Amino acid sequence: MTDLRGAEWVRPKPSPRSMRGDLGLAVLLAFAALTTSLLYQRTGLIAEPAEPWVWGLGLGLATLPLSLRRRYPVPVAVIVSVGFFICGQFAVPEILIVNICLFIALYTVGAWEERRALAVWARIAIGGALILWLVLSLIISSSDTDAFPGLSRSGLFSAYATFAVIQLITNLMYFGGAYYFGERSWRAARAQARLEAQGRELELERQTSAAQAVALDRIAIARELHDVVAHHVSVMGIQAAAARRSIERDPVRSAAALEVVEESAHTAVEELRRLVHTLRTPEAETGSSTVGIAQLATLIAESQSAGVPTTLIVAGDPRPLPMLVDVALYRVVQEALTNVRKHAGRGATADVRLRFTAGTVEVEVSDDGVRQRAGEHSEGAGLGIRGMRERIGAVGGTVQAGRREPALGAGTGGFLVRASVPAPAPAPTPAYANSAHPAESEAGAIDA
């Protein structure tokens, strides 16, 4: 008897409303027992009924304790069975209501007693004791000719023997029914509790999943905004500074720098507008993106226009990539070049290498900056590198970022970012894939 977490299931205590209902039931049964006992007495079926105090004691014990049947199931069942015994043994003229009360008491033990071993043995003990009393009463009555005078006692299958068998079968069914329905009620309550616990866990899991989805969406939005804004704003800042310094002595160069600022601002606005549109109407997303490794040349040109000489090197045979991989690699190069402009210092150059191998595709961005890049020299530091790892990790790849080994002494190493993503090359198409199989062609020639 365990719930979903393996702990012992405990049935909740009865509510005040159910306790009031039990009290009302006990009072109603007591009144009904008194009424039916008076009616039975009126019929004269019992020649010598019990004394009034025995009468009241038996009926009271059989009915009134039921007001506490859910709180104290076993003690109530014992008391009710004592009242039942008094009514039957001392000729209290009542049969119907006391039988109903005993059934309710035994049923309640099975349905509400938390100690299941006690519930089982209490019902077995009460039922066994009352059946034993019945058997002894039948044996005693078999030799008393005044008891059941109309029933013959001669022979093995006499009328009295048949009557005794009927009494035993009826009582066995009576106690068996109380046992069965009590157990069924307990199991139904336990199953209901399990379903409710499972519903609560599912609801908690749904809420947790929703919260995680919101958190992931926020991270994705933050990463996308960081990639878009940081890149274009860094270009705009560098070009605006160049325009400010050369506006008097070289107006043409200043105008060219301002054109780059204008173009970067326009591009940033367009990408932000596209991002907002996707967020507002995700169903309108076509699944394609306007950025990818095919646009790396544009990033190289922007980097060069921002004053950082940049070279693009492609190794291997280029091939189409999945959309998510394509966008992730593009964003890594974009963020890495943005960091070069921000941290590598004046005079730095950058190299972008795109490698296609049989099982992977890799991008590498390195620079020869001479100044330590605050926040970028330690493993995993900075929002930019964190965003790279999140993007590449989402498509099953890895990112390495750190200082390069110094080439000509301290301060000449620069920084390197390398992202690698599994991207198996498509299987080669057999030379005869689009033509008839050689054997088939030969067979055709023979047939001809």
Side-chain angles (χ1 to χ4, degrees):
M1 291 176 292
T2 57
D3 63 7
L4 296 177
R5 293 171 296 279
E8 184 178 357
W9 179 69
V10 177
R11 185 161 189 167
K13 297 297 182 182
S15 64
R17 181 178 179 180
S18 63
M19 294 294 293
R20 290 193 298 269
D22 291 340
L23 176 60
L25 175 64
V27 172
L28 178 61
L29 289 173
F31 178 77
L34 179 61
T35 302
T36 55
S37 63
L38 293 174
L39 293 176
Y40 276 118
Q41 183 186 28
R42 181 63 178 171
T43 61
L45 294 176
I46 300 179
E48 298 179 1
E51 296 292 331
W53 69 271
V54 178
W55 197 339
L57 178 63
L59 295 181
L61 292 178
T63 58
L64 295 178
L66 291 175
S67 60
L68 300 175
R69 65 187 184 93
R70 298 180 204 242
R71 188 175 294 276
Y72 308 106
V74 173
V76 167
V78 172
I79 296 173
V80 171
S81 63
V82 171
F84 181 86
F85 171 77
I86 293 174
C87 290
Q89 183 65 31
F90 298 102
V92 174
E94 214 298 308
I95 300 175
L96 176 62
I97 302 301
V98 293
N99 276 278
I100 294 175
C101 292
L102 181 60
F103 188 93
I104 293 174
L106 294 175
Y107 161 83
T108 304
V109 172
W112 282 88
E113 177 55 53
E114 297 176 0
R115 295 163 292 182
R116 300 312 296 168
L118 177 61
V120 171
W121 288 109
R123 286 173 291 174
I124 291 176
I126 293 173
L130 292 177
I131 290 178
L132 178 60
W133 167 57
L134 173 64
V135 172
L136 292 176
S137 298
L138 291 173
I139 293 174
I140 294 173
S141 298
S142 64
S143 59
D144 185 2
T145 57
D146 293 333
F148 308 103
L151 298 179
S152 173
R153 290 168 171 77
S154 61
L156 180 61
F157 297 103
S158 64
Y160 184 83
T162 305
F163 170 76
V165 171
I166 292 174
Q167 290 296 311
L168 288 174
I169 293 175
T170 302
N171 279 271
L172 287 175
M173 294 181 63
Y174 174 87
F175 290 112
Y179 189 100
Y180 170 76
F181 287 111
E183 285 293 317
R184 184 174 181 180
S185 176
W186 173 270
R187 292 174 182 174
R190 184 179 60 180
Q192 180 65 26
R194 285 180 173 177
L195 290 176
E196 292 176 356
Q198 186 179 22
R200 290 191 296 269
E201 290 187 0
L202 291 175
E203 177 63 19
L204 179 61
E205 182 178 355
R206 186 193 65 80
Q207 294 176 358
T208 302
S209 299
Q212 290 176 346
V214 172
L216 290 175
D217 286 342
R218 292 177 62 183
I219 292 174
I221 294 170
R223 186 168 57 233
E224 192 72 21
L225 288 174
H226 177 272
D227 291 344
V228 172
V229 175
H231 170 73
H232 293 291
V233 171
S234 66
V235 173
M236 292 165 61
I238 293 174
Q239 295 298 328
R244 178 179 56 80
R245 289 193 297 268
S246 61
I247 190 170
E248 294 181 356
R249 66 176 183 273
D250 193 349
V252 176
R253 182 179 179 183
S254 176
L258 291 176
E259 288 180 1
V260 174
V261 172
E262 182 181 3
E263 182 179 354
S264 296
H266 178 73
T267 304
V269 170
E270 286 298 322
E271 291 197 26
L272 288 174
R273 184 177 297 159
R274 184 167 56 251
L275 176 61
V276 171
H277 176 71
T278 301
L279 293 175
R280 285 183 176 274
T281 56
E283 66 279 359
E285 185 67 18
T286 60
S288 61
S289 175
T290 59
V291 296
I293 58 175
Q295 284 73 42
L296 290 183
T298 303
L299 289 180
I300 301 302
E302 291 180 355
S303 181
Q304 291 175 342
S305 66
V308 179
T310 306
T311 303
L312 174 62
I313 302 173
V314 180
D317 296 327
R319 59 179 180 269
L321 298 175
M323 186 263 298
L324 294 178
V325 174
D326 201 22
V327 175
L329 294 176
Y330 174 88
R331 293 301 189 194
V332 167
V333 176
Q334 184 183 54
E335 176 63 22
L337 290 178
T338 299
N339 289 336
V340 170
R341 292 192 292 270
K342 292 167 60 178
H343 303 292
R346 292 186 179 181
T349 61
D351 293 322
V352 178
R353 294 177 177 82
L354 175 63
R355 300 188 185 94
F356 292 91
T357 64
T360 61
V361 60
E362 181 180 277
V363 294
E364 179 182 290
V365 181
S366 60
D367 66 76
D368 58 356
V370 298
R371 192 172 62 193
Q372 184 177 7
R373 299 158 66 183
E376 295 289 337
H377 63 281
S378 61
E379 183 72 13
L383 293 177
I385 293 179
R386 184 186 307 172
M388 295 180 196
R389 287 199 169 95
E390 291 173 351
R391 281 187 178 277
I392 297 300
V395 293
T398 58
V399 173
Q400 298 175 352
R403 302 280 303 174
R404 296 171 61 190
E405 292 295 330
L408 299 174
T412 62
F415 200 82
L416 181 142
V417 174
R418 181 183 294 117
S420 178
V421 179
T429 304
Y432 56 82
N434 296 324
S435 62
H437 192 277
E440 295 176 357
S441 299
E442 183 176 354
I446 293 174
D447 291 337

